[in-house]
Amino acid sequence: MRHNHLSHLILLAILSLGCGCQNSSLDIIEIDGNSIGDKIPPSLYGVFFEEITHAGDGGLYAEMVQNRGFEDGTLPSGAILKDGFACAPAKHCYSNDSINLFKIKWDEDKAMNAWEVHTADGSIAQYKVITNSPLDKATPHSLYIKLQDHQSQISVVNRGYWGMSVENGKKYILSFWLKSSFSAPEKVIVSLKSDKGELSAYEETKIKNNGKWNKYQTILKPEKTGNDYNLYMDFANKGEIYLDHVSLFPEETFNNRENGLRNDIANYLAELKPAFIRWPGGCIVEGLTMENRVDWKKTIGDPMKRPGEYNLWGYRSTYGFGYHEFLQYCEDINSDAMFVCNAGMSCLFRNGDYVEGKDLDAIIQDALDAIEYAIGDVNTKWGAERAKNGHPAAFPLKYVEIGNENVGPRYAEHYKLFYKAIKEKYPQLTLICALMFHPEIKQAGTLEVIDPHYYETADWFYRNSNLYDNIPPMYTSDIYIGEYAAIGNPSIYSSLAEAAFLTGVERNADRVRYVSYAPLFQNAHHGKEHLIIYNNETVYGRTNYHILKMFSENRPDFNLGTKVNIAIAPEQEHPVGQVGLGSCGSVVSYKDFKIEKGGEVLYQSDNFEDFEKNWKVSNGDWNVKNGMLTHNLSDRDGYIWLDNRQFDNCTISLKAMKHSGREAFRVFFGAQGESDFFMADLGSHQNESVIFGERKNGVSTSLFDYRNTTSIRTGEWYDIRIEIQDNNWKCYLNGDLSYEYSYAPLYRRYAISGYDSENKELVVKLVNGEQEKWKSMIKLDNVVNVGGTAKRITLATDSANAENSFDDPEKIVPHEDSITGVGKSFKMVCPANSFTIVRISCELL
Ligand code: AHR
């Protein structure tokens, strides 16, 4: 009821846009102390950790040696090497039974990733990554080096994660394993040298030449500071050695734990005070193949014995930051843990293979074991293992998510089995279903929480701030927005778009009870788009980090009805431009193509006999044969454009048949060049849905509120009709309305408010994504004892493109001051490109 009441207020606000206040340039924000809205749970603002863009290795995990165990050349589990590709087995994909034959390019140099071997005389040293003398069977690779007579010295060099950062006065713990025979060198000289050859630390270690693997440990004490250091291990004289698990850690780690975390990054994340941490993914939970999924049991225990796994984001994870370290970190920073288990199926965008029967039972058991490891009694098998690993007490595991981004009836069946098994044993846990807004929720049994994800453009987020105000009645469970990010140019503009969206999340917090941005971490070697960016030396937060922190630090107990009356409504955009046809990774044919407006035929081509003359191919392989136009490639997208003609409101009709491929048909409209257009996307998301889409400035986004699940069958002619009427578009398949979408106007100003009962403060949040100041009148109803002075927290900058950077990491951060003249009605001015929070002391009537 509360929710409906608020929605009504918001609706009123929207209805009033542009109609009541045209004469005034002041927007009116009305807050009603009597209109108590949804409670905002403390669980709302969490984070999602996945090993992507070196989030753990080369990020949070403090290990400084990359490829420390020489395991990086290991193929993804379950794949075989063929013609330079790591190839997944031919198995049926769980979503549509296709055989994806997934493969990735595999470069055989990976084994020596981050390592080099030099000789002092410049000659080539003999060395190889081998498996015939394993230090441990789980980590069988080691580096074999043969020093020839004439070579006075060999240096084995590790470049770290794009250099190692060391500080004068600090200590670094180096450990490594060596095996050598009596004729081998007597010592190894370890040092840290910069790219310019400057020496910062130096130690000699005597070698036990007993033909066995021996572990060595030494402390390096740099005398210089810099971030371009490399680890050198120099061996003199002739002989043969085997080297493995070379590890270098700063002595100081987060909470000074062994095998610990980088202090700066761990603290930076801790400052967000996340209510929960989701781990370990993401797609890596699903894996390229079932064998490649994250197997949590291989991420615990002695780090030397952890095999790691190729992680589908392009590199091998050591899982040094494994399940235990994740749980420990949650405990350390007072966050609840959310564990994501594989649901018996690999990623449908990769191989998509799945297991059933006994094999599925084993995967369910794995999930139960993971839970037992986290919270089981020390007398249980996995509880005892936890105690053995140094933590007898239970960890704060509160949530388990069953799979990630899974779809379809097969997933629904698996989900039910996992749900029953877990709930029976652990009724106290909250279980999350990986389904988004899919009709299969009807087949999935009990749903506590579903997990929609959004990677969309900034403008999509501005336009969809109200998405959760009217959730269709069929979706009754709670909602966890497990992943969201405004993609495209990372800037204050996109961060404010996310903030606009978060106002809608907070306003509907009775249903949207959890949210986490993704991806969380990014080593700058991979770019600077995610939330927290670092190199080997320093860390900073993008503007969205600071905005999220502001939201979470200023979470009221409940919402208050807030109406935003925008004086001058933004102009409603509607499509004007070229029309085109396309195909997404599919072989398709088209015929009987027609564009009409108000009964008048504007263009018609039944058999595309005018193809050469009137159409322009911009991608793919197209030809006209047997009275139809065909796109012939299933490994490329196709694009063609009806040349030199612009259309606005119109109806496009055609017949279309899919022959083979991943997705199906695309009909473009309103195109202003190849980087800016709209489209009806029939067979989107691996042939799951019929929806609309948009490409703006070259960045694509799907346009849907709640996705349907209509897939396109092969070998059938479909009658397609697309009606474009201003901002309202309809797509019919064989005469039935398949999808309808209203392209919302682009508001960039939003406000919400709530009440903090403990501090007796009204908390108003204002997002201004415009490049001009936002002048408004705030009116407070049904409140008393309004303090004349209020605390204001502002994050603002003068350019929409601005963002924090290594050069200026605190360029755009929140600033606190106070405003005076606050009363039942007062004028508020928010700077251009800003997020502002005002905390007003008052009591509700
Ligand atoms: O955040 C990156 C990936 O995006 C996640 O692994 C996956 O869940 C989503 O598709």
Side-chain angles (χ1 to χ4, degrees), residues 5 62 119 139 147 174 193 252 263 323 343 369 376 406 409 447 568 610 614 633 681 692 739 758 826 833:
H5 181 51
T119 60
T139 53
L147 292 94
L174 176 71
K193 266 189 240 168
E252 286 170 22
N263 242 332
Y323 188 42
D369 293 347
N406 298 114
L447 289 178
I568 301 167
D610 64 333
N614 288 332
L633 301 174
D681 193 355
F692 286 94
Y739 204 69
E758 195 186 328
F826 63 99
N833 312 304

Side-chain angles (χ1 to χ4, degrees), residues 62-70 112-118 143 145 153-166 171-178 188-205 216-222 226-235 243-250 536:
E63 175 62 82
M64 295 163 75
V65 175
Q66 186 170 182
N67 190 14
R68 63 185 175 188
F70 301 97
M112 281 298 283
N113 181 29
W115 289 98
E116 287 167 17
V117 179
H118 303 162
L143 180 67
I145 309 159
Q153 183 181 299
I154 283 186
S155 300
V156 182
V157 184
N158 190 274
R159 302 254 172 234
Y161 291 96
W162 307 284
M164 294 177 185
S165 175
V166 297
K171 291 183 186 158
Y172 297 82
I173 304 166
L174 176 71
S175 63
F176 54 93
W177 288 79
L178 260 184
V188 52
I189 298 166
V190 288
S191 62
L192 291 167
K193 266 189 240 168
S194 74
D195 286 348
K196 292 170 242 77
E198 279 174 320
L199 186 67
S200 182
Y202 175 98
E203 287 296 328
E204 286 188 11
T205 301
Y216 300 87
Q217 185 164 313
T218 186
I219 308 283
L220 296 179
K221 297 176 193 146
N227 63 4
D228 63 345
Y229 280 83
N230 305 292
L231 174 69
Y232 277 70
M233 305 182 77
D234 299 338
F235 302 91
L243 179 64
D244 205 351
H245 203 82
V246 184
S247 170
L248 182 68
F249 269 84
N536 59 15

Side-chain angles (χ1 to χ4, degrees), residues 515-779:
V515 60
S516 49
Y517 177 88
L520 174 65
F521 284 136
Q522 191 169 32
N523 187 306
H525 178 76
H526 286 274
K528 298 179 188 112
E529 301 99 48
H530 300 170
L531 199 75
I532 297 177
I533 316 289
Y534 42 81
N535 52 25
N536 59 15
E537 186 183 20
T538 177
V539 56
Y540 72 86
R542 271 192 52 217
T543 42
N544 48 4
Y545 167 89
H546 297 283
I547 288 174
L548 203 49
K549 193 157 176 278
M550 288 166 75
F551 267 96
S552 132
E553 284 172 351
N554 292 281
R555 180 183 53 79
D557 298 302
F558 51 85
N559 285 291
L560 289 175
T562 309
K563 282 197 274 178
V564 183
N565 302 284
I566 301 277
I568 301 167
E571 220 174 276
Q572 174 65 63
E573 296 166 66
H574 63 268
V576 181
Q578 270 181 280
V579 162
L581 287 171
S583 133
C584 179
S586 303
V587 177
V588 295
S589 293
Y590 297 126
K591 64 181 184 182
D592 296 348
F593 184 84
K594 193 158 52 172
I595 306 175
E596 295 163 279
K597 184 174 186 174
E600 184 194 345
V601 177
L602 302 179
Y603 171 81
Q604 181 163 12
S605 182
D606 290 343
N607 305 317
F608 288 93
E609 55 286 321
D610 64 333
F611 185 65
E612 292 295 325
K613 186 167 150 235
N614 288 332
W615 292 76
K616 181 181 150 223
V617 176
S618 72
N619 204 22
D621 174 38
W622 299 82
N623 69 342
V624 178
K625 217 165 127 188
N626 303 331
M628 59 194 176
L629 169 69
T630 299
H631 176 254
N632 295 297
L633 301 174
S634 60
D635 58 352
R636 261 174 66 187
D637 293 349
Y639 292 85
I640 52 171
W641 302 99
L642 183 54
D643 230 358
N644 303 323
R645 305 245 346 229
Q646 305 264 318
F647 301 88
D648 53 10
N649 288 339
C650 61
T651 297
I652 304 170
S653 53
L654 67 153
K655 284 192 166 53
M657 182 192 280
K658 171 180 171 176
H659 304 285
S660 63
R662 258 180 322 122
E663 300 203 346
F665 321 124
R666 286 177 165 182
V667 181
F668 307 117
F669 54 95
Q672 295 293 333
E674 289 176 22
S675 299
D676 289 270
F677 55 78
F678 300 99
M679 67 174 161
D681 193 355
L682 301 100
S684 84
H685 295 76
Q686 301 289 93
N687 200 14
E688 255 182 55
S689 310
V690 170
I691 54 175
F692 286 94
E694 175 181 19
R695 183 173 298 172
K696 195 80 169 267
N697 302 321
V699 184
S700 301
T701 209
S702 299
L703 301 175
F704 60 89
D705 302 321
Y706 301 97
R707 217 152 78 197
N708 66 13
T709 43
T710 307
S711 41
I712 302 296
R713 293 178 294 272
T714 49
E716 264 178 51
W717 280 109
Y718 282 90
D719 273 320
I720 299 173
R721 195 170 81 247
I722 294 144
E723 294 177 2
I724 302 149
Q725 182 62 47
D726 299 327
N727 66 328
N728 188 264
W729 316 326
K730 291 179 183 150
C731 179
Y732 292 86
L733 271 187
N734 296 334
D736 295 330
L737 180 62
S738 182
Y739 204 69
E740 179 169 10
Y741 188 76
S742 289
Y743 193 62
L746 188 51
Y747 288 99
R748 298 191 188 93
R749 288 177 171 159
Y750 291 92
I752 50 168
S753 69
Y755 194 70
D756 174 342
S757 315
E758 195 186 328
N759 294 303
K760 294 197 169 48
E761 280 176 337
L762 174 65
V763 183
V764 187
K765 300 191 172 94
L766 302 120
V767 176
N768 181 19
E770 296 289 349
Q771 305 238 36
E772 283 155 26
K773 287 180 185 160
W774 184 13
K775 296 180 187 161
S776 63
M777 184 63 77
I778 298 191
K779 293 186 172 169

Side-chain angles (χ1 to χ4, degrees), residues 48 50 52 282-284 313 404-405 453 455 483 518-519:
F48 162 44
E50 180 173 29
I52 180 173
C283 294
I284 67 170
W313 297 120
N404 172 69
E405 292 191 347
H453 295 174
Y455 293 96
E483 302 179 28

Side-chain angles (χ1 to χ4, degrees), residues 250-304:
E251 187 193 43
E252 286 170 22
T253 55
F254 182 68
N255 281 0
N256 285 325
R257 294 190 189 285
E258 225 182 282
N259 190 45
L261 309 182
R262 242 175 82 169
N263 242 332
D264 57 346
I265 300 180
N267 277 314
Y268 206 77
L269 181 59
E271 280 167 27
L272 265 185
K273 296 199 179 68
F276 61 85
I277 307 180
R278 178 181 185 236
W279 182 96
C283 294
I284 67 170
V285 164
E286 305 168 88
L288 296 171
T289 61
M290 271 303 284
E291 289 92 335
N292 175 249
R293 73 188 185 279
V294 179
D295 181 350
W296 72 269
K297 287 176 184 160
K298 294 183 181 158
T299 75
I300 57 169
D302 182 353
M304 184 270 280

